[in-house]
Amino acid sequence: KWYIAGLHFECQICGNCCSGPEEGVIWITKAESEKAAQFLGISYDEFRNKYLRRVGLKHTIIENMQSKDCIFLCCFEGKKGCAIYNCRPMQCRTWPFWPYNLESPDDWNAAAQKCPGINKGKLYTFDEIEKIKNMR
């Protein structure tokens, strides 16, 4: 693998990974939805009806219709943040170590064009990256 020596990443809390302009999918499991509902103090059914849409057999978190940002991307004291950060879905937890970002150095650097934390900060070892990548 091209990243055998590891890769640097440190979240800059910019919210770009949660932002449009393209529409995307934010996969969330039933267990993750139940945790998020509990965190928000609402029922699972209310969470599902208010914040999710079905795509095939899976659910995705809805996005703001205009901006295409994740519905949970909020502004806290002038910084972007996730309203359900403590119980965010695995897809969010594993960014930027997604398989398609790791296909090649060009794919990794293309992701870095949107994410200022890529190629900065902590060095993740090959083994750490593989573990995170395979969590999805």
Side-chain angles (χ1 to χ4, degrees):
K1 304 267 179 155
W2 67 270
Y3 51 91
I4 192 71
L7 294 168
H8 290 272
F9 173 70
E10 186 174 322
C11 181
Q12 304 295 301
I13 313 171
C14 68
N16 289 357
C17 56
C18 310
S19 303
E22 310 90 28
E23 185 173 0
V25 290
I26 308 138
W27 300 119
I28 187 167
T29 66
K30 183 174 182 188
E32 291 168 338
S33 296
E34 289 169 343
K35 285 180 188 172
Q38 182 179 16
F39 179 79
L40 294 172
I42 60 176
S43 71
Y44 165 74
D45 287 338
E46 186 178 352
F47 181 84
R48 188 186 70 227
N49 292 333
K50 190 171 182 179
Y51 298 114
L52 304 182
R53 70 181 168 89
R54 194 171 181 86
V55 177
L57 298 176
K58 296 180 177 182
H59 285 97
T60 181
I61 296 173
I62 63 171
E63 297 168 314
N64 177 293
M65 295 292 281
Q66 283 99 7
S67 67
K68 304 299 182 199
D69 294 352
C70 174
I71 199 71
F72 292 113
L73 181 62
C74 302
C75 197
F76 300 101
E77 300 172 2
K79 287 196 166 209
K80 289 184 179 182
C82 177
I84 61 168
Y85 185 82
N86 292 335
C87 56
R88 67 197 185 282
M90 187 59 66
Q91 177 176 336
C92 305
R93 291 176 187 274
T94 58
W95 173 263
F97 302 111
W98 294 354
Y100 71 83
N101 287 340
L102 296 169
E103 289 285 320
S104 72
D106 287 342
D107 293 319
W108 180 254
N109 289 319
Q113 295 300 307
K114 185 172 182 178
C115 176
I118 291 177
N119 296 326
K120 291 191 177 107
K122 179 186 174 192
L123 175 66
Y124 286 80
T125 67
F126 175 81
D127 290 338
E128 288 173 314
I129 294 166
E130 288 295 294
K131 183 179 179 185
I132 295 167
K133 180 180 83 171
N134 293 322
M135 293 172 93
R136 295 185 77 214

